[in-house]
Amino acid sequence: MARFTDKIVVVTGAAQGIGRRVAERVADEGGKLALIDRSDLADEVAAGIRAKGGEAIFIAADLEQWDGAQKAMTEAVEAYGRIDILINNVGGTIWTKPFEHYAPEEIQAEVQRSLFPTLWCCRAALPTMLERESGVIVNVSSIATRSLNRVPYAAAKGGVNAITASLAWEVAERGVRVVASAPGGTEAPARAIPRHPGEQDAQEQAWYQQIIDQTVQSSLMKRYGTLDEQAGAILFLASDDASYITGLTLPVGGGDLG
């Protein structure tokens, strides 16, 4: 397939995991990529794509802040002239524990990590899409909006779902589609950059095991998904194959609807 031939595709959080796999598969289908991350590991991903004959640049930015998101989208447009597709992939649980054990600053950090990058990037990319009356935004949410030991993360991803539905309504008649994928548990290589700022003690490990058990139990298929199963859904939503779909959050959790 070559669904993204000559499309300008921005992927945030492209250093590892789902974001990296999405970027690699977009390149395989002819897309020209801007990979945004605050880690230089995304520069290695871009270099790997170029080594295979693809086109990709790396833009370093902290997307938890408006200035970082605005800078990143501006640089992408300066490099390629436009943004056809924005895939908002930044986010992820930092801590996993019952809500009463979260400190206020941890709650704020979870929301800052998993809501604001999507909110800011949508706002930063939207004007150039509306000016051209063309564009697709794919937000990466989570089925963990209904799960154990992740209330602040669930709140953030619930916000991503709300952004998707409300923004889609605003811009559908102006040529822009807004959709979301909600991944379930996903098998991936060990993270090069851990989300958790320190070592987990025995209690924290037990709480984390609870979310693993719940994720498998909630899936009708009783397993985690693969990176390609998650990337495939995201790429479908981003492609013209989904041209009559907007405002939708698609659960990709083996039957777990979140």
Side-chain angles (χ1 to χ4, degrees):
M1 291 188 292
R3 293 174 294 182
F4 303 105
T5 298
D6 294 329
K7 296 283 189 182
I8 309 304
V9 184
V10 174
V11 182
T12 74
Q16 55 193 332
I18 293 172
R20 175 175 182 159
R21 191 69 191 112
V22 165
E24 292 169 342
R25 287 187 52 173
V26 166
D28 288 344
E29 292 197 41
K32 300 177 181 180
L33 286 145
L35 308 185
I36 304 174
D37 207 294
R38 56 187 177 189
S39 168
D40 289 344
L41 289 174
D43 196 16
E44 297 177 17
V45 178
I49 288 170
R50 292 194 298 271
K52 293 180 178 180
E55 189 168 344
I57 61 170
F58 165 60
I59 299 172
D62 179 1
L63 300 179
E64 293 183 19
Q65 312 301 324
W66 162 247
D67 288 347
Q70 186 179 45
K71 166 185 173 291
M73 298 305 150
T74 298
E75 288 188 21
V77 171
E78 287 174 349
Y80 289 118
R82 65 185 193 276
I83 298 171
D84 295 313
I85 300 165
L86 166 63
I87 298 173
N88 283 315
N89 177 66
V90 170
T93 306
I94 306 172
W95 296 276
T96 53
K97 51 190 171 183
F99 191 45
E100 70 266 25
H101 293 282
Y102 276 87
E105 60 270 20
E106 291 173 340
I107 294 170
Q108 186 166 348
E110 293 277 10
V111 174
Q112 196 74 29
R113 170 73 54 82
S114 291
L115 175 64
F116 275 93
T118 296
L119 192 65
W120 292 143
C121 287
C122 283
R123 175 60 183 84
L126 194 61
T128 187
M129 290 183 173
L130 291 175
E131 183 178 359
R132 296 179 57 250
E133 297 185 332
S134 177
V136 181
I137 296 173
V138 183
N139 298 323
V140 180
S141 180
S142 174
I143 61 167
T145 49
R146 186 172 182 267
S147 65
L148 292 175
N149 298 346
R150 291 183 281 181
V151 168
Y153 175 71
K157 290 301 190 179
V160 170
N161 295 349
I163 293 167
T164 301
S166 295
L167 184 57
W169 202 352
E170 286 190 13
V171 300
E173 294 185 22
R174 301 168 72 185
V176 177
R177 288 195 302 113
V178 187
V179 287
S181 167
T186 305
E187 295 285 359
R191 293 183 61 83
I193 306 168
R195 292 192 183 114
H196 195 283
E199 293 293 324
Q200 290 183 322
D201 61 27
Q203 179 61 82
E204 289 171 326
Q205 290 174 12
W207 285 330
Y208 187 77
Q209 186 62 46
Q210 286 179 342
I211 74 166
I212 293 174
D213 295 343
Q214 179 252 298
T215 298
V216 173
Q217 210 171 44
S218 298
S219 168
L220 302 187
M221 295 182 178
K222 303 304 179 193
R223 66 173 177 85
Y224 271 36
T226 68
L227 287 175
D228 277 310
E229 286 173 324
Q230 298 300 342
I234 291 167
L235 297 188
F236 163 69
L237 291 170
S239 76
D240 289 341
D241 290 339
S243 59
Y244 196 49
I245 299 173
T246 197
L248 171 77
T249 295
L250 175 67
V252 189
D256 185 351
L257 301 182

